[in-house]
Amino acid sequence: IKKLPLNHKSKDELYQLSETFNHLMERVETSMQKQRQFISDASHEFKTSLTILEGYTSLIRRWGFEEIDLHKEALTAIHEECIRMKHVTYQLLELADLEHEGQLTMSRFDLAALCKESIHLLQPLSSKEIRFISSEHHLIIEADKMKMKQVILIILDNAMKYGKQLIEVYLTKTDSSISIRIKDDGIGIPPEELPFVFERFYRVDRSRNRQTGGSGLGLSIAKRLVNQHQGTIEIHSELEKGTEVIISYPEMISTANPL
Ligand code: ADP
């Protein structure tokens, strides 16, 4: 093949092309690494549960028919682990769905009413008090109602799991945005762990969270749902004082026309 002489311009172009290619390959590699990490984390999650189920079923087989208390205890543990796994599976499906489709079903609704509805749904499950403080009686917005509700429920559920007595939900409207702040007075999160809590499967204290039924997926789902609405989600926390999650949605308020 005849070798073509390369002038300055074509050398530059070639260099740029190889740079772009390298950059692309780095991104492919990072995304593959993330996928491998995800599969490994998910498998670990299922493996731990299967070990628990296997352990307790063996206990029943060996001693459960003679010792009724042990039988009951093992069945309760198995039942709870099954519920947890169902929850994790549901969340995993949700994440997969979000990654592939992520479509929003928009409608107009009252966000203040949605906050109250979510609080009423969870309040009976806990002795902790949930207070709702809103700058608006009604706040009509256009968004995906189910997804907005899911975000509120995830954050509220965490506040109830890790909070102590009082949970406050603030709904505030400014000229260009709306924000939902959910604040608890609970155990808090160590500052060094805070940057990671939105990562999939991240749990501050794995053993503590297994007892509280956590999967480490809630916040990552919430973040994706908020981002889908062009919103942002932040978390502030102080150990032994409490945690505050701030969700802000820009320019999605449509109060001009009533419902
Ligand atoms: P989980 O299902 O484990 O609660 P999340 O993704 O919702 O998973 O939260 C990740 C981790 O962040 C939790 O396991 C918990 O350690 C910590 N966390 C989340 N919310 C709070 C909170 N309100 N107070 C204290 N820790 C929290």
Side-chain angles (χ1 to χ4, degrees):
I1 304 165
K2 197 176 160 199
K3 211 172 169 190
L4 287 172
L6 286 174
N7 60 24
H8 252 314
K9 197 168 167 246
S10 41
K11 266 187 190 161
D12 275 357
E13 276 172 5
L14 215 68
Y15 177 75
Q16 270 178 11
L17 213 69
S18 76
E19 280 289 283
T20 315
F21 181 73
N22 284 344
H23 186 63
L24 260 171
M25 286 313 286
E26 267 169 32
R27 280 176 57 185
V28 170
E29 178 59 26
T30 313
S31 133
M32 278 168 69
Q33 248 171 20
K34 277 189 181 162
Q35 272 192 23
R36 276 198 293 269
Q37 185 63 43
F38 179 62
I39 292 169
S40 139
D41 287 344
S43 312
H44 177 82
E45 197 62 34
F46 284 104
K47 208 173 128 208
T48 315
S49 286
L50 287 173
T51 308
I52 292 174
L53 295 179
E54 190 187 19
Y56 278 107
T57 41
S58 305
L59 261 183
I60 293 183
R61 282 180 65 188
R62 250 187 285 157
W63 315 106
F65 297 103
E66 293 140 41
E67 297 196 33
I68 191 73
D69 283 347
L70 185 87
H71 194 142
K72 275 189 198 160
E73 197 188 313
L75 275 183
T76 308
I78 291 170
H79 184 65
E80 277 171 11
E81 199 54 33
C82 286
I83 292 176
R84 214 184 69 78
M85 281 323 290
K86 204 169 119 185
H87 185 63
V88 173
T89 313
Y90 173 77
Q91 287 187 318
L92 279 173
L93 288 172
E94 188 115 353
L95 267 179
D97 199 43
L98 277 180
E99 263 164 28
H100 291 123
E101 291 177 34
Q103 281 176 4
L104 297 173
T105 309
M106 305 296 271
S107 68
R108 286 165 59 74
F109 61 93
D110 181 352
L111 186 59
L114 191 75
C115 288
K116 283 187 215 156
E117 202 182 300
S118 311
I119 293 171
H120 286 149
L121 200 67
L122 293 185
Q123 182 68 87
L125 306 178
S126 162
S127 57
K128 291 161 201 169
E129 185 192 345
I130 311 176
R131 262 186 221 156
F132 181 55
I133 303 117
S134 175
S135 66
E136 321 289 310
H137 270 302
H138 299 285
L139 184 48
I140 310 304
I141 63 164
E142 189 158 2
D144 187 315
K145 189 175 176 185
M146 291 321 290
K147 291 188 173 175
M148 295 277 280
K149 185 171 176 179
Q150 203 182 344
V151 171
I152 300 170
L153 288 177
I154 289 173
I155 309 300
L156 210 49
D157 181 50
N158 276 350
M160 287 167 72
K161 271 194 301 204
Y162 306 112
K164 280 190 187 129
Q165 281 178 321
L166 177 67
I167 294 138
E168 289 168 318
V169 181
Y170 294 89
L171 177 64
T172 318
K173 172 183 178 289
T174 68
D175 281 347
S176 58
S177 70
I178 48 172
S179 73
I180 304 168
R181 284 192 294 135
I182 300 182
K183 202 172 161 210
D184 68 62
D185 56 353
I187 52 176
I189 301 168
E192 67 275 14
E193 309 261 9
L194 218 46
F196 307 108
V197 291
F198 288 105
E199 285 179 12
R200 288 182 299 206
F201 293 110
Y202 195 85
R203 282 174 277 166
V204 172
D205 177 342
R206 286 188 169 238
S207 57
R208 178 188 81 187
N209 290 325
R210 187 158 272 280
Q211 281 161 17
T212 49
S215 65
L217 290 172
L219 284 179
S220 62
I221 293 178
K223 187 175 166 124
R224 270 155 205 266
L225 292 173
V226 172
N227 289 164
Q228 269 191 300
H229 282 93
Q230 319 303 325
T232 57
I233 181 164
E234 291 168 34
I235 188 160
H236 303 273
S237 190
E238 214 178 316
L239 262 186
E240 300 308 329
K241 286 258 171 73
T243 302
E244 181 174 20
V245 177
I246 306 173
I247 306 154
S248 304
Y249 294 104
E251 294 168 22
M252 50 190 301
I253 312 160
S254 47
T255 40
N257 310 307
L259 272 182

